[in-house]
């Protein structure tokens, strides 16, 4: 369709302005202040308002009687460890003490009052061995006999015993007769204890 052949009638909107100038209003460019003042308002005005609101609320009597909630440790934090605690935790919490082993003391050797005791007089005083034998029987010995010594002269009285097991018995004999010397000698006392009374013996 060529220009001028439009079927509708020509109206005022089809007429061209004879002046040939631009139609409509033209606005001047916006200044920097007009673009930035909203942001400045937000950055300055809002903090001032917020500060004023907080100050007003802190001075308001309506908040003086308000108690803030307190936080305490929950029961779950203070409860005892569960039964499923690991062996390491249990060992750390309650170490097991090993009981000390008490060693039984070694019993003291006991004198055997039934052991044969032969009392021999190595002096010239008569009846010395018989009196010593009576002292041993009074001390509890049941197999004491008296006789004379036929060996070499001794300076001090002595109690001979055949083995280490008889040391306690020999010491008991020496204590009963007041003799200071006891000596292990199986040759002098092969079958029991032998007491040789020398000149130092006091009946």
């Amino acid at each position: 369709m060529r220009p001028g052949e439009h079927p509708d009638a020509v109206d005022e909107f089809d007429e061209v302005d004879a002046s040939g100038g631009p139609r409509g209003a033209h606005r001047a460019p916006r200044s920097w202040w007009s673009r930035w003042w909203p942001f400045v308002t937000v950055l300055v005005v809002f903090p001032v308002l917020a500060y004023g609101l907080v100050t007003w609320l802190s001075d308001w009597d309506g908040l003086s009687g308000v108690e803030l909630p307190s936080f305490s440790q929950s029961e779950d934090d203070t409860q005892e460890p569960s039964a499923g605690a690991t062996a390491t935790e249990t060992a750390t919490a309650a170490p097991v003490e090993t009981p000390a082993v008490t060693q039984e003391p070694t019993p003291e050797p006991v004198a055997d009052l039934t052991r044969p005791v032969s009392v021999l007089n190595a002096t010239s005083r008569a009846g010395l061995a018989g009196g010593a034998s009576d002292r041993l029987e009074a001390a509890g010995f049941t197999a004491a006999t008296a006789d004379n010594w036929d060996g070499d002269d001794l300076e001090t009285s002595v109690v001979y015993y055949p083995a280490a097991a008889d040391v306690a018995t020999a010491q008991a004999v020496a204590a009963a007769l007041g003799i200071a010397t006891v000596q292990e000698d199986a040759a002098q006392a092969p079958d029991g204890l032998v007491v040789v009374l020398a000149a130092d013996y006091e009946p």
Side-chain angles (χ1 to χ4, degrees):
M1 181 179 295
R2 294 193 299 270
E5 295 180 355
H6 196 279
D8 297 329
V10 178
D11 53 18
E12 66 274 11
F13 295 102
D14 296 324
E15 296 179 358
V16 180
D17 190 358
S19 62
R23 295 184 178 183
H26 292 274
R27 299 178 181 176
R30 297 176 63 187
S31 63
W32 67 271
W33 171 250
S34 63
R35 293 193 301 270
W36 288 98
W37 74 266
F39 300 101
V40 175
T41 302
V42 172
L43 294 176
V44 176
V45 177
F46 282 2
V48 173
L49 292 177
Y51 175 78
L53 179 61
V54 171
T55 303
W56 177 74
L57 289 176
S58 62
D59 295 336
W60 184 36
D61 294 338
L63 294 178
S64 61
V66 178
E67 296 182 359
L68 296 178
S70 60
F71 297 93
S72 61
Q73 188 176 10
S74 64
E75 295 182 357
D76 295 338
D77 296 338
T78 59
Q79 65 183 359
E80 297 181 356
S82 61
T86 62
T88 302
E89 294 174 352
T90 304
T92 303
V96 178
E97 295 182 359
T98 302
V101 178
T102 302
Q103 186 176 3
E104 294 294 335
T106 303
E108 294 291 336
V110 179
D112 184 3
L113 302 183
T114 64
R115 289 283 283 161
V117 181
S118 180
V119 181
L120 305 178
N121 184 3
T123 69
S124 59
R125 290 179 293 176
L128 196 63
S133 178
D134 293 340
R135 290 176 64 178
L136 289 178
E137 290 179 354
F141 289 92
T142 61
T145 59
D147 203 346
N148 291 322
W149 170 255
D150 58 359
D152 297 335
D153 293 339
L154 301 178
E155 294 181 358
T156 58
S157 301
V158 61
V159 178
Y160 294 109
Y161 61 95
D166 295 314
V167 63
T169 305
Q171 290 173 350
V173 170
L177 298 179
I179 298 175
T181 304
V182 293
Q183 182 178 344
E184 181 180 352
D185 191 338
Q188 295 291 347
D191 299 325
L193 282 76
V194 174
V195 178
V196 180
L197 302 179
D200 64 333
Y201 174 70
E202 296 293 336

